Amino acid sequence: MQETNVLIIGAGPSGSIVASYLNQQGFNVTSVEKMKFPRFVIGESLLPTYMDLLDEANLLDAVKAANFQEKFEAKFINGDKTCDFNFEEQYTPGWTWTWQVPREDFYKILAKTVASRGVDVQFETTVEAVNFIDDHVVTSVTSASGSAQIKSRFIIDSSGYGRVLPRLLDLDAPSDFPSRSAFFTHFCDTQRPNNIDGNRIQVVVLKQDVWVWIIPFSNGNTSFGVVGDLSFLDETKTNEENLRNLIESNEFLKERIGTVEFTFDPKMISGYSTSVKRFFGDKFVLTGNSTEFLDPVFSSGVTLALESGLLAAKLVARQLNGARVDWDQKLVAYIKRGVDTFRLYVSGWYHGKLQTIFFADEIHPEIKKEFVQF
Ligand code: FAD
């Protein structure tokens, strides 16, 4: 049976930051990832707080070298009203820029970097079962070469929507958000404006609870998706027809996107908001989306995945080095504070209050600054 200090489920952003940190601390780390990379993932807009987290885990230079589209601001559009948030006008001093990333490239860079430093990353390997036995954990995995067991001192679940430990240990809890959907594609951005709007993320309000993202990449493609209550889509039409009709129905989208070529048939994800009863237990902890995911509207997912991953990794290192860890105080309370802040923003957005502030004729600069604190 293979033995390792720490087994990590999933090589997404959360699993990669955990792996990088624990490897730097001298632990023997194994990461098992169900998929083969590169592979498509949606959600390409990052937040500046993310930069410090990557830096601390010694991953920032590897991502910098990829020359992703730099992101300095975000623009919100509602009819003829607009609202720009520039990361330089922020409440808490810190990084004033980040990136817009095709996620398949981003995942590959993170996983490749941690593997090059000695983390044993096993792709196309799926966790099937976990047994907690005395002072260790035995995890059963399957891959093309058959079934195997891995013995570890600790297991970290960074499996995102795979929700491996929530499923196996009955930790799943319903989200307090209604089930919303996202419908999206990438397009070949042949009519990208030759000005600041050509490169920045734009969020376009279609109805109070339906909005669109436009996220340009440095590779010439752009991500485009619509989110919210999408029951208005016509089931008798193809995905492509539905998305093209949506573009045609809005003057701004018609002009910005027109009839460009989609790089893949539009996809739909529904009911992505999740929650969990517990974040940790004896010899295990959950990080990133395997705990809670709210909504894409403020691009918080990857940042929370990194923040919870790095913090959990630090606490695991302490515990494995013999210290007593107060997981409730040091992990759960801290992460819940961050998630609850975003929760307030997300509900304020869908209830319309935040949109009233964003699209007011004038926003007090100090209030506006408080929205730019991530
Ligand atoms: P993941 O990225 O899901 O990684 C988990 C990994 O675990 C995967 O690689 C998976 O293959 C692997 N895995 C799963 N099951 C198993 C198993 N049994 N065994 C082994 N491996 C397994 N966030 C942003 O920051 N910005 C955005 O613009 C954004 N937009 C979004 C748009 C939509 C429509 C949605 C639904 C989400 C969006 N998000 C966005 C959220 C973001 O994608 C997630 O929060 C983020 O990917 C979470 O990272 P993670 O590492 O926790 O999980």
Side-chain angles (χ1 to χ4, degrees), residues 110-310:
L110 295 178
K112 199 170 136 200
T113 307
V114 298
S116 72
R117 294 182 187 152
V119 173
D120 172 22
V121 187
Q122 303 180 9
F123 289 100
E124 295 181 272
T125 304
T126 302
V127 169
E128 306 287 359
V130 176
N131 277 308
F132 294 85
I133 304 166
D134 304 326
D135 63 345
H136 62 271
V137 189
V138 175
T139 303
S140 305
V141 297
T142 51
S143 65
S145 49
S147 303
Q149 293 196 315
I150 304 174
K151 180 178 172 184
S152 62
R153 294 172 63 196
F154 207 97
I155 183 162
I156 303 182
D157 183 3
S158 306
S159 65
Y161 292 111
R163 308 187 66 68
V164 175
L165 290 189
R167 272 189 297 108
L168 294 176
L169 305 179
D170 187 25
L171 302 176
D172 263 322
S175 166
D176 45 15
F177 284 139
S179 177
R180 298 190 172 101
S181 303
F183 187 45
F184 49 84
T185 188
H186 288 177
F187 61 85
C188 195
D189 205 351
T190 46
Q191 49 189 64
R192 186 175 284 188
N194 195 15
N195 58 29
I196 186 176
D197 283 339
N199 292 333
R200 67 176 159 182
I201 176 171
Q202 295 181 309
V203 170
V204 186
V205 177
L206 299 186
K207 295 196 278 178
Q208 184 178 302
D209 60 352
V210 181
W211 59 277
V212 157
W213 77 68
I214 297 172
I215 305 175
F217 303 137
S218 57
N219 65 10
N221 288 341
T222 288
S223 175
F224 166 62
V226 55
V227 183
D229 176 359
L230 304 187
S231 51
F232 63 88
L233 293 174
D234 185 343
E235 283 176 10
T236 65
K237 301 255 188 289
T238 64
N239 287 349
E240 172 146 2
E241 284 166 345
N242 262 312
L243 213 50
R244 293 215 183 270
N245 286 347
L246 187 123
I247 293 167
E248 276 297 303
S249 71
N250 179 279
E251 283 307 314
F252 174 83
L253 297 178
K254 200 156 69 173
E255 192 176 324
R256 172 67 180 85
I257 302 175
T259 55
V260 290
E261 192 189 328
F262 294 163
T263 65
F264 56 85
D265 192 41
K267 298 175 196 277
M268 169 90 82
I269 301 183
S270 296
Y272 40 70
S273 305
T274 55
S275 192
V276 83
K277 292 177 202 158
R278 267 193 307 139
F279 279 43
F280 70 94
D282 186 26
K283 296 187 283 296
F284 77 84
V285 65
L286 315 179
T287 73
N289 263 28
S290 64
T291 57
E292 178 144 14
F293 178 65
L294 301 171
D295 192 90
V297 66
F298 293 113
S299 306
S300 58
V302 172
T303 297
L304 289 169
L306 293 181
E307 180 101 42
S308 61
L310 187 58

Side-chain angles (χ1 to χ4, degrees), residues 7 23 42 79 108 188 205 237 313 329 344:
L7 181 73
N23 174 257
I42 196 63
K108 197 171 155 200
C188 195
V205 177
K237 301 255 188 289
Q329 268 312 311
L344 208 66

